Amino acid sequence: MATYRAYVVAAGGRLQLGETFEAPDDEGAVTHVQALGRPAAMELWEGGRLIGRVSKLGVFTPAEA
């Protein structure tokens, strides 16, 4: 299990901490964030590695490599 952080993307692109959670892999972490149903976009991080962004509609966009 890895520890992930999901940040709410606020106005102006500023990040606000949403929650810290554990998931078995990146795919599981994305599924978890999509299930939150937040009314704002969220960025998903694992340590210092950006996984990607989940839109407020639940669409995942991976980070550029």
Side-chain angles (χ1 to χ4, degrees):
M1 293 289 249
T3 301
Y4 292 87
R5 292 183 323 272
Y7 293 94
V8 174
V9 181
R14 296 182 59 187
L15 300 181
Q16 299 176 341
L17 185 59
E19 73 169 85
T20 301
F21 62 95
E22 290 188 343
D25 55 25
D26 291 354
E27 186 176 325
V30 170
T31 299
H32 176 84
V33 172
Q34 289 171 322
L36 293 174
R38 300 265 181 153
M42 299 191 78
E43 277 192 4
L44 177 60
W45 292 77
E46 189 262 325
R49 181 174 67 97
L50 174 62
I51 307 302
R53 185 177 279 205
V54 176
S55 75
K56 63 183 178 180
L57 299 176
V59 177
F60 175 68
T61 304
E64 295 181 20

